[in-house]
PDB file of all heavy atoms in Angstrom:
ATOM      1  N   ILE B 783     184.324   5.119 272.414  1.00 98.00           N
ATOM      2  CA  ILE B 783     184.865   6.238 273.208  1.00 98.00           C
ATOM      3  C   ILE B 783     186.359   5.955 273.386  1.00 98.00           C
ATOM      4  O   ILE B 783     186.705   4.913 273.971  1.00 98.00           O
ATOM      5  CB  ILE B 783     184.177   6.362 274.540  1.00 98.00           C
ATOM      6  CG1 ILE B 783     182.650   6.330 274.378  1.00 98.00           C
ATOM      7  CG2 ILE B 783     184.595   7.717 275.189  1.00 98.00           C
ATOM      8  CD1 ILE B 783     181.918   6.318 275.711  1.00 98.00           C
ATOM      9  N   SER B 784     187.172   6.818 272.927  1.00 97.00           N
ATOM     10  CA  SER B 784     188.612   6.645 273.045  1.00 97.00           C
ATOM     11  C   SER B 784     189.125   7.453 274.227  1.00 97.00           C
ATOM     12  O   SER B 784     188.664   8.559 274.487  1.00 97.00           O
ATOM     13  CB  SER B 784     189.326   7.126 271.757  1.00 97.00           C
ATOM     14  OG  SER B 784     188.835   6.427 270.638  1.00 97.00           O
ATOM     15  N   SER B 785     190.077   6.862 274.929  1.00 96.00           N
ATOM     16  CA  SER B 785     190.733   7.485 276.054  1.00 96.00           C
ATOM     17  C   SER B 785     189.648   8.127 277.004  1.00 96.00           C
ATOM     18  O   SER B 785     189.501   9.354 277.102  1.00 96.00           O
ATOM     19  CB  SER B 785     191.680   8.638 275.566  1.00 96.00           C
ATOM     20  OG  SER B 785     192.370   9.148 276.681  1.00 96.00           O
ATOM     21  N   LEU B 786     188.933   7.231 277.708  1.00 97.00           N
ATOM     22  CA  LEU B 786     187.859   7.638 278.581  1.00 97.00           C
ATOM     23  C   LEU B 786     188.308   8.706 279.562  1.00 97.00           C
ATOM     24  O   LEU B 786     189.359   8.651 280.179  1.00 97.00           O
ATOM     25  CB  LEU B 786     187.403   6.414 279.408  1.00 97.00           C
ATOM     26  CG  LEU B 786     186.391   5.497 278.750  1.00 97.00           C
ATOM     27  CD1 LEU B 786     186.186   4.208 279.560  1.00 97.00           C
ATOM     28  CD2 LEU B 786     185.035   6.180 278.510  1.00 97.00           C
ATOM     29  N   GLN B 787     187.400   9.672 279.738  1.00 96.00           N
ATOM     30  CA  GLN B 787     187.595  10.745 280.739  1.00 96.00           C
ATOM     31  C   GLN B 787     186.594  10.547 281.866  1.00 96.00           C
ATOM     32  O   GLN B 787     185.562   9.882 281.695  1.00 96.00           O
ATOM     33  CB  GLN B 787     187.398  12.095 280.091  1.00 96.00           C
ATOM     34  CG  GLN B 787     188.429  12.411 278.968  1.00 96.00           C
ATOM     35  CD  GLN B 787     189.813  12.338 279.492  1.00 96.00           C
ATOM     36  OE1 GLN B 787     190.257  13.128 280.381  1.00 96.00           O
ATOM     37  NE2 GLN B 787     190.647  11.436 278.951  1.00 96.00           N
ATOM     38  N   PRO B 788     186.895  11.114 283.063  1.00 94.00           N
ATOM     39  CA  PRO B 788     185.943  10.919 284.215  1.00 94.00           C
ATOM     40  C   PRO B 788     184.521  11.285 283.925  1.00 94.00           C
ATOM     41  O   PRO B 788     183.582  10.627 284.402  1.00 94.00           O
ATOM     42  CB  PRO B 788     186.566  11.825 285.273  1.00 94.00           C
ATOM     43  CG  PRO B 788     188.008  11.931 284.935  1.00 94.00           C
ATOM     44  CD  PRO B 788     188.069  11.898 283.431  1.00 94.00           C
ATOM     45  N   GLU B 789     184.271  12.268 283.089  1.00 95.00           N
ATOM     46  CA  GLU B 789     182.931  12.772 282.802  1.00 95.00           C
ATOM     47  C   GLU B 789     182.220  11.848 281.816  1.00 95.00           C
ATOM     48  O   GLU B 789     181.006  12.066 281.545  1.00 95.00           O
ATOM     49  CB  GLU B 789     182.963  14.207 282.254  1.00 95.00           C
ATOM     50  CG  GLU B 789     183.718  14.388 280.971  1.00 95.00           C
ATOM     51  CD  GLU B 789     185.165  14.764 281.170  1.00 95.00           C
ATOM     52  OE1 GLU B 789     185.728  14.391 282.229  1.00 95.00           O
ATOM     53  OE2 GLU B 789     185.785  15.442 280.278  1.00 95.00           O
ATOM     54  N   ASP B 790     182.915  10.855 281.327  1.00 96.00           N
ATOM     55  CA  ASP B 790     182.258   9.946 280.341  1.00 96.00           C
ATOM     56  C   ASP B 790     181.507   8.785 281.015  1.00 96.00           C
ATOM     57  O   ASP B 790     180.770   8.084 280.325  1.00 96.00           O
ATOM     58  CB  ASP B 790     183.324   9.338 279.410  1.00 96.00           C
ATOM     59  CG  ASP B 790     184.030  10.359 278.559  1.00 96.00           C
ATOM     60  OD1 ASP B 790     183.491  11.480 278.373  1.00 96.00           O
ATOM     61  OD2 ASP B 790     185.158  10.085 278.108  1.00 96.00           O
ATOM     62  N   PHE B 791     181.634   8.662 282.287  1.00 93.00           N
ATOM     63  CA  PHE B 791     180.965   7.577 283.008  1.00 93.00           C
ATOM     64  C   PHE B 791     179.496   7.975 283.175  1.00 93.00           C
ATOM     65  O   PHE B 791     179.132   8.897 283.867  1.00 93.00           O
ATOM     66  CB  PHE B 791     181.650   7.236 284.294  1.00 93.00           C
ATOM     67  CG  PHE B 791     182.996   6.650 284.062  1.00 93.00           C
ATOM     68  CD1 PHE B 791     184.141   7.474 284.042  1.00 93.00           C
ATOM     69  CD2 PHE B 791     183.176   5.312 283.789  1.00 93.00           C
ATOM     70  CE1 PHE B 791     185.392   6.950 283.782  1.00 93.00           C
ATOM     71  CE2 PHE B 791     184.432   4.749 283.494  1.00 93.00           C
ATOM     72  CZ  PHE B 791     185.577   5.593 283.539  1.00 93.00           C
ATOM     73  N   ALA B 792     178.673   7.256 282.411  1.00 97.00           N
ATOM     74  CA  ALA B 792     177.236   7.626 282.265  1.00 97.00           C
ATOM     75  C   ALA B 792     176.521   6.473 281.607  1.00 97.00           C
ATOM     76  O   ALA B 792     177.063   5.385 281.473  1.00 97.00           O
ATOM     77  CB  ALA B 792     177.152   8.884 281.335  1.00 97.00           C
ATOM     78  N   ILE B 793     175.259   6.663 281.263  1.00 97.00           N
ATOM     79  CA  ILE B 793     174.462   5.691 280.482  1.00 97.00           C
ATOM     80  C   ILE B 793     174.351   6.200 279.027  1.00 97.00           C
ATOM     81  O   ILE B 793     174.121   7.366 278.797  1.00 97.00           O
ATOM     82  CB  ILE B 793     173.078   5.523 281.133  1.00 97.00           C
ATOM     83  CG1 ILE B 793     173.160   5.066 282.601  1.00 97.00           C
ATOM     84  CG2 ILE B 793     172.274   4.514 280.337  1.00 97.00           C
ATOM     85  CD1 ILE B 793     171.871   4.941 283.330  1.00 97.00           C
ATOM     86  N   TYR B 794     174.549   5.259 278.147  1.00 98.00           N
ATOM     87  CA  TYR B 794     174.510   5.535 276.702  1.00 98.00           C
ATOM     88  C   TYR B 794     173.333   4.815 276.085  1.00 98.00           C
ATOM     89  O   TYR B 794     173.125   3.660 276.345  1.00 98.00           O
ATOM     90  CB  TYR B 794     175.830   5.179 276.069  1.00 98.00           C
ATOM     91  CG  TYR B 794     176.986   6.036 276.569  1.00 98.00           C
ATOM     92  CD1 TYR B 794     177.673   5.750 277.696  1.00 98.00           C
ATOM     93  CD2 TYR B 794     177.301   7.224 275.904  1.00 98.00           C
ATOM     94  CE1 TYR B 794     178.645   6.560 278.219  1.00 98.00           C
ATOM     95  CE2 TYR B 794     178.271   8.048 276.359  1.00 98.00           C
ATOM     96  CZ  TYR B 794     178.984   7.728 277.531  1.00 98.00           C
ATOM     97  OH  TYR B 794     179.937   8.543 277.980  1.00 98.00           O
ATOM     98  N   TYR B 795     172.613   5.568 275.220  1.00 98.00           N
ATOM     99  CA  TYR B 795     171.478   5.016 274.523  1.00 98.00           C
ATOM    100  C   TYR B 795     171.596   5.180 273.040  1.00 98.00           C
ATOM    101  O   TYR B 795     172.030   6.243 272.553  1.00 98.00           O
ATOM    102  CB  TYR B 795     170.173   5.707 274.907  1.00 98.00           C
ATOM    103  CG  TYR B 795     169.771   5.570 276.402  1.00 98.00           C
ATOM    104  CD1 TYR B 795     170.174   6.530 277.338  1.00 98.00           C
ATOM    105  CD2 TYR B 795     169.034   4.463 276.825  1.00 98.00           C
ATOM    106  CE1 TYR B 795     169.798   6.415 278.668  1.00 98.00           C
ATOM    107  CE2 TYR B 795     168.680   4.334 278.140  1.00 98.00           C
ATOM    108  CZ  TYR B 795     169.074   5.314 279.068  1.00 98.00           C
ATOM    109  OH  TYR B 795     168.701   5.180 280.397  1.00 98.00           O
ATOM    110  N   CYS B 796     171.219   4.146 272.298  1.00 98.00           N
ATOM    111  CA  CYS B 796     171.043   4.307 270.867  1.00 98.00           C
ATOM    112  C   CYS B 796     169.582   4.533 270.598  1.00 98.00           C
ATOM    113  O   CYS B 796     168.708   4.138 271.391  1.00 98.00           O
ATOM    114  CB  CYS B 796     171.595   3.108 270.073  1.00 98.00           C
ATOM    115  SG  CYS B 796     170.799   1.512 270.364  1.00 98.00           S
ATOM    116  N   GLN B 797     169.279   5.126 269.431  1.00 98.00           N
ATOM    117  CA  GLN B 797     167.884   5.389 269.052  1.00 98.00           C
ATOM    118  C   GLN B 797     167.778   5.413 267.530  1.00 98.00           C
ATOM    119  O   GLN B 797     168.615   6.028 266.851  1.00 98.00           O
ATOM    120  CB  GLN B 797     167.475   6.763 269.596  1.00 98.00           C
ATOM    121  CG  GLN B 797     166.112   7.265 269.190  1.00 98.00           C
ATOM    122  CD  GLN B 797     166.156   8.480 268.277  1.00 98.00           C
ATOM    123  OE1 GLN B 797     167.035   9.291 268.295  1.00 98.00           O
ATOM    124  NE2 GLN B 797     165.145   8.595 267.340  1.00 98.00           N
ATOM    125  N   GLN B 798     166.728   4.821 267.011  1.00 98.00           N
ATOM    126  CA  GLN B 798     166.544   4.810 265.549  1.00 98.00           C
ATOM    127  C   GLN B 798     165.550   5.892 265.200  1.00 98.00           C
ATOM    128  O   GLN B 798     164.539   6.134 265.874  1.00 98.00           O
ATOM    129  CB  GLN B 798     166.113   3.431 265.061  1.00 98.00           C
ATOM    130  CG  GLN B 798     164.752   2.985 265.533  1.00 98.00           C
ATOM    131  CD  GLN B 798     163.557   3.498 264.731  1.00 98.00           C
ATOM    132  OE1 GLN B 798     163.752   4.028 263.635  1.00 98.00           O
ATOM    133  NE2 GLN B 798     162.340   3.359 265.273  1.00 98.00           N
ATOM    134  N   SER B 799     165.856   6.598 264.095  1.00 98.00           N
ATOM    135  CA  SER B 799     164.979   7.639 263.566  1.00 98.00           C
ATOM    136  C   SER B 799     164.610   7.251 262.109  1.00 98.00           C
ATOM    137  O   SER B 799     164.267   8.124 261.317  1.00 98.00           O
ATOM    138  CB  SER B 799     165.699   8.982 263.589  1.00 98.00           C
ATOM    139  OG  SER B 799     166.996   8.942 263.039  1.00 98.00           O
ATOM    140  N   PHE B 800     164.557   5.986 261.839  1.00 97.00           N
ATOM    141  CA  PHE B 800     164.209   5.512 260.470  1.00 97.00           C
ATOM    142  C   PHE B 800     162.703   5.448 260.284  1.00 97.00           C
ATOM    143  O   PHE B 800     162.206   5.802 259.163  1.00 97.00           O
ATOM    144  CB  PHE B 800     164.835   4.131 260.269  1.00 97.00           C
ATOM    145  CG  PHE B 800     164.576   3.520 258.904  1.00 97.00           C
ATOM    146  CD1 PHE B 800     165.147   4.115 257.763  1.00 97.00           C
ATOM    147  CD2 PHE B 800     163.807   2.430 258.710  1.00 97.00           C
ATOM    148  CE1 PHE B 800     164.959   3.641 256.481  1.00 97.00           C
ATOM    149  CE2 PHE B 800     163.590   1.874 257.492  1.00 97.00           C
ATOM    150  CZ  PHE B 800     164.173   2.452 256.364  1.00 97.00           C
ATOM    151  N   THR B 801     162.001   4.959 261.261  1.00 96.00           N
ATOM    152  CA  THR B 801     160.539   4.876 261.176  1.00 96.00           C
ATOM    153  C   THR B 801     159.958   5.382 262.464  1.00 96.00           C
ATOM    154  O   THR B 801     160.593   5.395 263.515  1.00 96.00           O
ATOM    155  CB  THR B 801     160.053   3.456 260.913  1.00 96.00           C
ATOM    156  OG1 THR B 801     160.388   2.633 262.048  1.00 96.00           O
ATOM    157  CG2 THR B 801     160.657   2.842 259.668  1.00 96.00           C
ATOM    158  N   THR B 802     158.637   5.714 262.389  1.00 95.00           N
ATOM    159  CA  THR B 802     157.930   6.031 263.603  1.00 95.00           C
ATOM    160  C   THR B 802     157.192   4.808 264.125  1.00 95.00           C
ATOM    161  O   THR B 802     156.739   3.995 263.304  1.00 95.00           O
ATOM    162  CB  THR B 802     156.904   7.164 263.387  1.00 95.00           C
ATOM    163  OG1 THR B 802     155.984   6.750 262.346  1.00 95.00           O
ATOM    164  CG2 THR B 802     157.622   8.446 262.892  1.00 95.00           C
ATOM    165  N   PRO B 803     157.142   4.667 265.425  1.00 97.00           N
ATOM    166  CA  PRO B 803     157.656   5.565 266.456  1.00 97.00           C
ATOM    167  C   PRO B 803     159.174   5.371 266.611  1.00 97.00           C
ATOM    168  O   PRO B 803     159.681   4.251 266.426  1.00 97.00           O
ATOM    169  CB  PRO B 803     156.937   5.101 267.741  1.00 97.00           C
ATOM    170  CG  PRO B 803     156.779   3.619 267.550  1.00 97.00           C
ATOM    171  CD  PRO B 803     156.457   3.488 266.061  1.00 97.00           C
ATOM    172  N   PRO B 804     159.865   6.419 266.912  1.00 98.00           N
ATOM    173  CA  PRO B 804     161.292   6.320 267.192  1.00 98.00           C
ATOM    174  C   PRO B 804     161.455   5.441 268.463  1.00 98.00           C
ATOM    175  O   PRO B 804     160.668   5.509 269.382  1.00 98.00           O
ATOM    176  CB  PRO B 804     161.760   7.763 267.500  1.00 98.00           C
ATOM    177  CG  PRO B 804     160.531   8.474 267.888  1.00 98.00           C
ATOM    178  CD  PRO B 804     159.404   7.803 267.143  1.00 98.00           C
ATOM    179  N   THR B 805     162.439   4.547 268.419  1.00 98.00           N
ATOM    180  CA  THR B 805     162.666   3.644 269.539  1.00 98.00           C
ATOM    181  C   THR B 805     164.112   3.694 269.985  1.00 98.00           C
ATOM    182  O   THR B 805     165.028   3.981 269.221  1.00 98.00           O
ATOM    183  CB  THR B 805     162.269   2.215 269.150  1.00 98.00           C
ATOM    184  OG1 THR B 805     162.823   1.863 267.898  1.00 98.00           O
ATOM    185  CG2 THR B 805     160.730   2.103 269.054  1.00 98.00           C
ATOM    186  N   PHE B 806     164.292   3.374 271.284  1.00 98.00           N
ATOM    187  CA  PHE B 806     165.596   3.396 271.940  1.00 98.00           C
ATOM    188  C   PHE B 806     166.079   2.011 272.369  1.00 98.00           C
ATOM    189  O   PHE B 806     165.251   1.136 272.609  1.00 98.00           O
ATOM    190  CB  PHE B 806     165.486   4.256 273.197  1.00 98.00           C
ATOM    191  CG  PHE B 806     165.189   5.723 272.993  1.00 98.00           C
ATOM    192  CD1 PHE B 806     163.870   6.178 272.827  1.00 98.00           C
ATOM    193  CD2 PHE B 806     166.209   6.657 272.952  1.00 98.00           C
ATOM    194  CE1 PHE B 806     163.576   7.499 272.602  1.00 98.00           C
ATOM    195  CE2 PHE B 806     165.949   8.028 272.745  1.00 98.00           C
ATOM    196  CZ  PHE B 806     164.623   8.434 272.598  1.00 98.00           C
ATOM    197  N   GLY B 807     167.367   1.903 272.419  1.00 98.00           N
ATOM    198  CA  GLY B 807     167.938   0.762 273.121  1.00 98.00           C
ATOM    199  C   GLY B 807     167.703   0.874 274.629  1.00 98.00           C
ATOM    200  O   GLY B 807     167.338   1.928 275.134  1.00 98.00           O
TER     201      GLY B 807
END
Side-chain angles (χ1 to χ4, degrees):
Chain B
I783 313 172
S784 302
S785 187
L786 277 169
Q787 298 301 299
E789 61 269 27
D790 299 338
F791 293 93
I793 301 175
Y794 293 86
Y795 296 94
C796 62
Q797 175 249 330
Q798 65 83 14
S799 50
F800 182 67
T801 64
T802 59
T805 48
F806 294 83

